[in-house]
Amino acid sequence: GAICWFDGGHSDSMDPHTFFETPYLFTGESGNAAGERPHWSYIRVPGLGFLPGLICPHHDRVQSNGVARAEDIDQMLLRHPGERGLCIDHFAA
């Protein structure tokens, strides 16, 4: 929900665990019994632009790729100079 209101958002839409297995987002446990981490990257997705900036929901989480969102959002902001970032921790709403 939060991403849609901003210019853009830090998204885990490429994560097959959150797409196919929604409980991963809430438990932090991967359904992959072999322990392998899938290779995917966070992406910047466009929002409606009612609020300025780039929003990062679930800022304090690590998704199934093993990359902390807190670290990746910093890199994303460097790739999009001039854009402001706003981060929201998991369960903040």
Side-chain angles (χ1 to χ4, degrees):
I3 289 177
C4 71
W5 304 110
F6 290 83
D7 290 330
H10 183 268
S11 176
D12 62 355
S13 294
M14 301 303 290
D15 182 353
H17 285 85
T18 58
F19 182 76
F20 293 115
E21 300 174 23
T22 303
Y24 176 82
L25 184 63
F26 301 106
T27 65
E29 296 296 324
S30 172
N32 188 344
E36 293 181 16
R37 296 203 179 268
H39 297 286
W40 59 271
S41 298
Y42 295 104
I43 58 173
R44 184 195 186 283
V45 295
L48 296 171
F50 292 128
L51 298 170
L54 180 71
I55 185 81
C56 178
H58 315 290
H59 178 258
D60 59 339
R61 303 294 287 187
V62 174
Q63 299 302 118
S64 67
N65 63 355
V67 178
R69 291 184 87 137
E71 295 173 15
D72 194 78
I73 185 66
D74 291 340
Q75 296 302 315
M76 187 175 287
L77 287 168
L78 290 173
R79 291 190 304 269
H80 297 275
E83 195 160 39
R84 294 181 195 154
L86 177 66
C87 301
I88 303 171
D89 284 345
H90 195 63
F91 295 122

